[in-house]
Amino acid sequence: MDWKLLLNPAAGRLLKVSSLIAFVLTWAADLALLDRCADPYGSPTTWLPVYVTGPLVGLLALGLPRSAGLVKRVVAAVAISLATTVWTMVEPSGLEWWGALETAGLLVLVVHTTGHAWRPGLATAYTLTVTVAILAVPLRSGSRGAFAAGGYVLTIALAICVVIGCAIRSLEVRRERAVHDVRQAERLALARDLHDLIAHHMTGIIVQANAALTIKATAPDKVEPILREITRSGTETLESMRRLVRVLREDNHAALRPGDLLTELADLVSAHSTAAGGGTPAQLEVTAAARTARLSPEVEVSVQRLVQEALTNVRRHAPGARTTVHLDVDRAWLEVTVTNTVPGHRAAVPAGGRGGFGLLGLRERVEALDGTLSTGALPHGGWQVQAAFPLAVPADSTLQADRPGR
């Protein structure tokens, strides 16, 4: 099944295996009931729901084939079920059981259609379509009593499946809203940073312009270098605005001024080592190219934010792991990599509770700066967070460098 809420791949695999086992056991019950019939193979309408219709609908409910979307699977399952029901009514066989596997598969599809992130009207339409196929199944028995009893049981089962689907839909809506809020908060934080950084640049431009006016009469030969510096600062400011022009900013925020990046990163790594304990220190590795690289102020702030978030995740999810923060330059890109080894012990509940949206906010921030972010497990069992940020280059530069591989 394709549950969006199951963010943990292991939980998703466990659900698929459990569903497959349940369907196999249900099919075994169908086969046992079929063997108890007086003449189980006397008419195709007797064995068709057990040997053909049931397995087909079960596979569609499990999400097979994978290439088929939910709409195709729902339409195929409903068509198969209704066709079998009509054929059974046209050529009655006295069958008292209509197939548990087929019914279970249709009920699972009801959960899918109700919980899917369609518009409410579309979800209702598909749910009603599957409901009609389910409630028509008891007609195969040819008995009013069996139809009434089966309809009553199936109505209760349908109600339960609809409630489960609505609960899943509600949780998915909440998750999407939380994702949206995290992205919006990160955009507002970027806007605050941009506001203060540009204010810092403009202050320097104004100071240099006043200096040029002051020395124009006494030292005209020194005016041209000042004007060139003003041009460079103005170009960097416009480049920062271009990257984040669509980001909205919020009032009542605390001012932020860029400090020395390497000093800030060293402080973060030192604080992490102290918190993690002397036996598992973190270390900062900066290549010579990275030390001399020229970064825009918003990139410096984002690098500091990324390292801070990565170290926080190590403390929460991998306490005691050895951590390395590595900065390097590859052509026109600054590569920031934070890796940690396998922890000595893994806490059942991360310190501070479960979050899950920190990396999402980082991705929003990095991509807003035309960078890339990748995270994942390492072959030896550790974890790695890797980001690439563009270096500050003149606006008229013709250098076009490819982004490092993710």
Side-chain angles (χ1 to χ4, degrees):
M1 301 179 192
D2 185 18
W3 301 113
K4 292 182 180 180
L5 291 176
L6 291 173
L7 303 179
N8 188 346
R13 289 193 295 268
L14 178 62
L15 179 60
K16 290 181 180 179
V17 172
S18 301
S19 302
L20 181 60
I21 294 175
F23 276 21
V24 169
L25 294 177
T26 305
W27 193 26
D30 272 346
L31 294 174
L33 290 172
L34 180 63
D35 290 338
R36 296 179 60 181
C37 295
D39 188 9
Y41 304 102
S43 172
T45 55
T46 303
W47 53 263
L48 185 66
V50 175
Y51 281 101
V52 180
T53 308
L56 286 178
V57 174
L59 290 175
L60 293 172
L62 288 173
L64 300 175
R66 294 182 179 180
S67 58
L70 180 57
V71 174
K72 293 181 180 179
R73 291 190 282 115
V74 168
V75 171
V78 170
I80 292 171
S81 180
L82 289 178
T84 305
T85 299
V86 172
W87 188 17
T88 305
M89 293 175 63
V90 173
E91 296 185 9
S93 60
L95 182 67
E96 296 182 358
W97 183 243
W98 51 77
L101 179 58
E102 178 183 348
T103 305
L106 291 173
L107 289 172
V108 170
L109 286 175
V110 167
V111 177
H112 275 292
T113 56
T114 308
H116 199 272
W118 285 319
R119 297 190 306 272
L122 191 61
T124 302
Y126 280 112
T127 301
L128 290 177
T129 301
V130 183
T131 299
V132 170
I134 293 175
L135 295 180
V137 167
L139 293 174
R140 302 174 186 178
S141 63
S143 170
R144 292 184 178 180
F147 173 74
Y152 173 75
V153 173
L154 290 179
T155 300
I156 296 177
L158 275 170
I160 295 174
C161 290
V162 169
V163 170
I164 295 175
C166 289
I168 293 175
R169 184 184 182 92
S170 176
L171 291 174
E172 179 64 14
V173 169
R174 292 182 182 179
R175 188 189 72 86
E176 291 180 352
R177 189 176 302 161
V179 169
H180 176 270
D181 291 343
V182 169
R183 287 177 173 171
Q184 186 67 14
E186 196 64 35
R187 290 170 182 170
L188 295 177
L190 275 170
R192 292 194 295 267
D193 296 347
L194 179 63
H195 169 267
D196 296 308
L197 293 172
I198 290 178
H200 174 68
H201 273 297
M202 294 304 296
T203 300
I205 290 174
I206 293 172
V207 170
Q208 294 176 68
N210 289 332
L213 291 174
T214 302
I215 67 174
K216 180 178 64 173
T218 58
D221 56 315
K222 296 183 179 180
V223 173
E224 183 177 352
I226 294 177
L227 294 178
R228 290 184 182 277
E229 183 65 21
I230 291 175
T231 301
R232 186 189 64 80
S233 299
T235 301
E236 289 184 354
T237 304
L238 290 175
E239 187 67 15
S240 298
M241 293 179 62
R242 182 192 66 80
R243 292 192 186 102
L244 303 175
V245 68
R246 293 188 178 182
V247 182
L248 301 177
R249 67 179 290 273
E250 195 176 49
D251 294 331
N252 300 325
H253 59 272
L256 173 65
R257 294 192 55 150
D260 182 71
L261 175 61
L262 298 183
T263 301
E264 292 178 350
L265 295 183
D267 292 340
L268 286 174
V269 171
S270 176
H272 176 81
S273 299
T274 303
T280 56
Q283 60 181 355
L284 175 64
E285 300 176 351
V286 184
T287 64
R291 291 183 182 276
T292 58
R294 193 156 144 250
L295 303 176
S296 60
E298 67 272 16
V299 168
E300 290 189 357
V301 173
S302 297
V303 170
Q304 190 266 352
R305 169 78 174 84
L306 181 141
V307 173
Q308 183 182 40
E309 178 67 23
L311 293 178
T312 300
N313 286 339
V314 172
R315 286 197 298 270
R316 295 179 65 243
H317 300 281
R322 182 180 295 274
T323 309
T324 301
V325 180
H326 183 79
L327 273 69
D328 194 7
V329 170
D330 180 15
R331 290 170 292 183
W333 296 88
L334 172 71
E335 293 185 357
V336 182
T337 307
V338 182
T339 58
N340 64 268
T341 59
V342 180
H345 67 280
R346 190 179 298 274
V349 179
R354 298 185 183 274
F357 297 105
L359 291 178
L360 178 64
L362 279 181
R363 187 177 302 278
E364 189 73 18
R365 174 182 285 263
V366 173
E367 292 179 353
L369 298 175
D370 295 333
T372 60
L373 175 68
S374 62
T375 61
L378 296 173
H380 57 73
W383 190 263
Q384 175 177 279
V385 177
Q386 186 175 31
F389 296 92
L391 297 179
V393 294
D396 58 351
S397 174
T398 59
L399 176 62
Q400 296 293 334
D402 295 332
R403 300 188 184 190
R406 297 180 61 177

